[in-house]
Amino acid sequence: MKFLPCLLVLAALSACTQLQPRPTLPDEFAVAPGQETPLDKATHDVEGQRPGQSAFRLVVEGTEAYVTRMQAARLAMRSLDVQTYIWHSDLTGLSFAHALLEAADRGVKVRLLLDDMDARAKNDGLAALSFHPNIDVRMFNPFASRRGKMGFISEGASSFGRINRRMHNKTWIADNRIAIAGGRNIGDEYFGASDEVNFVDLDFAMIGPVVRDASASFDKYWNSPSAYPMEALDAASVTKEGLEKLRTALVEHMKGAADSRYAVALRSNDAIQRMLKGDWPLQWATTYQFVSDDPLKVTMEKKDAKRTYVGSVLVPMIQATQKQASIISPYFVPGEEVTTAFTGMAKSGREVRILTNSLIANDVAAVHGGYSRYRKDLVEGGVQLWELKPLAGQKAESSLFGSSGASLHTKAFAVDTKTLFVGSYNLDPRSTWLNCEQGVLVENPILAAELEQIFAQQTAGDHAWRVTLNDKKLHWSDGKEAFDSDPKAGWGRRFQAWMTKVLHLDAQL
């Protein structure tokens, strides 16, 4: 009986935290590109010289990814549209927030769309930003409760089917002239700035008509019934006092970060200016596609083709492989159907190469348990498999692997050194059926060769273990050390992975 009061409290909290329908709002759309802003002037003529084409650059290194976003924000004079799954309150996250506030102060229209699973914890700061007349903030698939663990738990328990579906998209668009999209969230570990584990990640920087395609995708999410304005969720926190408090905190943050390597890089690296002048490598392509799931995916109940538009685009791309498919997926849970498809391709003489996280490198050990159910079948079927190490490295600009460790976060595919895909989509059931995802598909042999080079670097013995069979048992080797079980993983991680494997929780991974 002593648990009855707790159950009654949870029931009461649950009743009070049901999300109400979003208020009826007029649709809003990206500001059309013009010819007045620095980004307009830099891109208008070069786009005109290549009608129907768009330009792409693979952004691998974390400092470049940071500088590219910051410079885009500083050059913007008309609009900034930012969509992300995670936004941390750390060195890079606060610096980006300051850049958006500065842009809004000079008259730029800022639209910030965040998934609420992470954003709820930053409710007050985001509400404060929303008070600015030039900043609109919306939460995707939000919690009705805005604070406290009890509200979070009770709402998650009562509305799990809804809360379990998230917006995983990441896009940064300036003046509808330049866009950055790929795997990176906003936070130190995504830009190589963490003193702990950093993510190996990848973006596309883009100019041309593909930017307008990215804006159209952003608009679709912005106007969806699942995107709630902060004023509808917590109007009491959208105040002038909150904005001034946040402004003061961000100014102090920027002063304290003035000597960071990221601030130094921003002062010395003119990446976007060089790109726009033509002396920073860009590859032009006629055949490309910006793909994103329907934002209504989070409300769909059945596993139908409409629910996984990104997946439906990738399937024919991979099926069309003639010689070689290279796949980088940090959270890789192929399931029986994909496993059968990949092993069938390998048996037909086509190379299928996969890089994913090792158990020790995976930041979600449970996902590894789902993946491990299919690992032996993949290797037996001829699929070439590597698992990334949690590598130590240096925080140098040239390093791909951060400071004290690395976890794979890149989501990318390359086929026949001709076609490549970079985005937010993992080869797992969560990306396919639960989360909203997006990405960019491009036909360009030079870009595809660059991605193959990245694959080769990250699967080298210094960075990854090759998984093979030895006497019909799985075997890991980097050419120097060999293991007969998941290398260097502690019992806690092994137990989490084992539990997920035994319980067959693939659908949630």
Side-chain angles (χ1 to χ4, degrees):
M1 294 296 292
K2 64 181 179 179
F3 295 109
L4 184 58
C6 294
L7 292 175
L8 291 174
V9 169
L10 279 174
L13 285 170
S14 177
C16 294
T17 55
Q18 292 297 314
L19 185 67
Q20 300 301 310
R22 192 192 76 160
T24 301
L25 299 168
D27 285 348
E28 297 179 4
F29 300 97
V31 180
Q35 299 183 35
E36 300 81 19
T37 75
L39 290 174
D40 287 332
K41 294 174 182 178
T43 60
H44 179 267
D45 289 344
V46 69
E47 286 186 26
Q49 294 167 10
R50 296 175 178 267
Q53 295 188 357
S54 290
F56 303 86
R57 175 177 171 83
L58 286 173
V59 181
V60 181
E61 195 275 322
T63 308
E64 180 182 316
Y66 170 82
V67 168
T68 304
R69 286 168 172 80
M70 286 291 285
Q71 289 186 346
R74 291 185 173 187
L75 286 168
M77 298 299 293
R78 185 172 48 246
S79 64
L80 277 169
D81 290 335
V82 179
Q83 182 178 14
T84 189
Y85 176 60
I86 289 173
W87 193 306
H88 289 324
S89 301
D90 51 19
L91 170 66
T92 56
L94 293 175
S95 298
F96 285 131
H98 183 260
L100 296 188
L101 184 56
E102 279 192 324
D105 286 344
R106 64 177 183 266
V108 176
K109 178 63 177 177
V110 177
R111 295 190 295 174
L112 182 56
L113 178 60
L114 298 96
D115 184 87
D116 201 39
M117 181 61 74
D118 174 76
R120 180 182 180 274
K122 292 91 175 174
N123 180 82
D124 291 352
L126 292 166
L129 277 178
S130 195
F131 183 81
H132 196 292
N134 290 327
I135 300 179
D136 287 330
V137 181
R138 293 187 181 181
M139 301 293 107
F140 192 85
N141 197 16
F143 287 78
S145 64
R146 304 310 302 163
R147 296 171 185 82
K149 292 183 179 180
M150 288 297 289
F152 181 90
I153 293 171
S154 64
E155 191 172 358
S158 64
S159 306
F160 179 77
R162 178 180 68 84
I163 296 300
N164 190 39
R165 300 174 184 179
R166 308 313 319 170
M167 180 194 75
H168 200 225
N169 310 30
K170 298 104 176 176
T171 313
W172 188 285
I173 309 168
D175 282 354
N176 215 346
R177 284 294 189 181
I178 182 169
I180 304 154
R184 283 185 175 90
N185 291 296
I186 303 300
D188 286 355
E189 63 268 39
Y190 300 97
F191 299 96
S194 173
D195 290 329
E196 298 177 358
V197 173
N198 286 290
F199 286 119
V200 179
D201 223 324
L202 190 63
D203 292 317
F204 264 136
M206 306 174 288
I207 62 175
V210 69
V211 177
R212 268 67 82 191
D213 297 338
S215 290
S217 173
F218 182 97
D219 288 342
K220 186 184 296 185
Y221 278 83
W222 184 259
N223 294 317
S224 76
S226 294
Y228 284 64
M230 279 303 306
E231 291 81 356
L233 295 170
D234 189 8
S237 296
V238 182
T239 64
K240 179 180 179 180
E241 293 77 16
L243 178 59
E244 291 309 312
K245 181 179 178 181
L246 176 65
R247 185 187 297 277
T248 299
L250 291 176
V251 169
E252 289 302 312
H253 163 76
M254 295 305 290
K255 290 179 181 178
D259 294 327
S260 72
R261 72 185 179 101
Y262 286 82
V264 172
L266 189 59
R267 291 193 292 268
S268 62
N269 188 328
D270 59 346
I272 285 188
Q273 295 285 9
R274 288 170 53 211
M275 180 182 75
L276 298 176
K277 290 177 181 177
D279 61 354
W280 194 42
L282 281 167
Q283 295 299 323
W284 291 84
T286 302
T287 304
Y288 59 85
Q289 187 178 4
F290 190 98
V291 294
S292 61
D293 288 328
D294 190 325
L296 293 177
K297 182 179 182 179
V298 297
T299 64
M300 296 178 184
E301 296 297 333
K302 295 180 180 180
K303 291 185 177 181
D304 56 48
K306 295 179 183 178
R307 195 167 166 182
T308 178
Y309 182 70
V310 176
S312 70
V313 170
L314 288 174
V315 167
M317 170 190 170
I318 295 173
Q319 288 178 334
T321 301
Q322 297 295 311
K323 295 181 179 180
Q324 183 185 82
S326 300
I327 297 161
I328 305 176
S329 183
Y331 310 129
F332 177 58
V333 185
E336 293 181 3
E337 186 174 346
V338 173
T339 298
T340 299
F342 283 169
T343 55
M345 290 170 62
K347 290 174 182 177
S348 71
R350 292 172 287 177
E351 280 191 86
V352 180
R353 310 188 307 162
I354 298 169
L355 171 65
T356 190
N357 274 311
S358 63
L359 177 55
I360 187 61
N362 202 320
D363 64 322
V364 185
V367 170
H368 194 87
Y371 149 67
S372 66
R373 293 180 55 217
Y374 307 99
R375 184 166 48 186
K376 187 175 180 180
D377 288 343
L378 288 165
V379 177
E380 282 184 333
V383 173
Q384 300 173 43
L385 186 61
W386 288 265
E387 295 180 358
L388 188 78
K389 298 178 178 180
L391 298 174
Q394 297 179 348
K395 292 181 71 176
E397 184 166 346
S398 61
S399 173
L400 298 180
F401 290 94
S403 57
S404 60
S407 180
L408 188 66
H409 201 255
T410 300
K411 294 96 169 163
F413 306 76
V415 170
D416 294 334
T417 319
K418 174 185 176 184
T419 307
L420 73 160
F421 171 89
V422 175
S424 66
Y425 182 90
N426 290 290
L427 259 177
D428 63 13
R430 173 159 289 278
S431 282
T432 302
W433 302 116
L434 297 176
N435 288 349
C436 292
E437 306 286 356
Q438 70 175 35
V440 187
L441 185 70
V442 184
E443 284 190 20
N444 181 283
I446 295 176
L447 289 171
E450 287 181 18
L451 184 54
E452 293 288 8
Q453 184 178 13
I454 292 169
F455 188 96
Q457 291 170 343
Q458 294 181 359
T459 56
D462 290 342
H463 296 154
W465 290 293
R466 175 75 186 270
V467 185
T468 57
L469 290 177
N470 185 12
D471 293 331
K472 298 184 179 182
K473 294 181 180 180
L474 290 172
H475 180 76
W476 288 256
S477 176
D478 62 3
K480 297 178 181 178
E481 291 183 285
F483 304 86
D484 292 321
S485 63
D486 288 292
K488 302 187 179 182
W491 70 268
R493 282 180 169 270
R494 292 177 187 273
F495 179 74
Q496 291 179 56
W498 175 80
M499 283 292 291
T500 309
K501 180 178 180 180
V502 169
L503 295 175
H504 288 224
L505 298 178
D506 293 13
Q508 298 300 320
L509 301 175

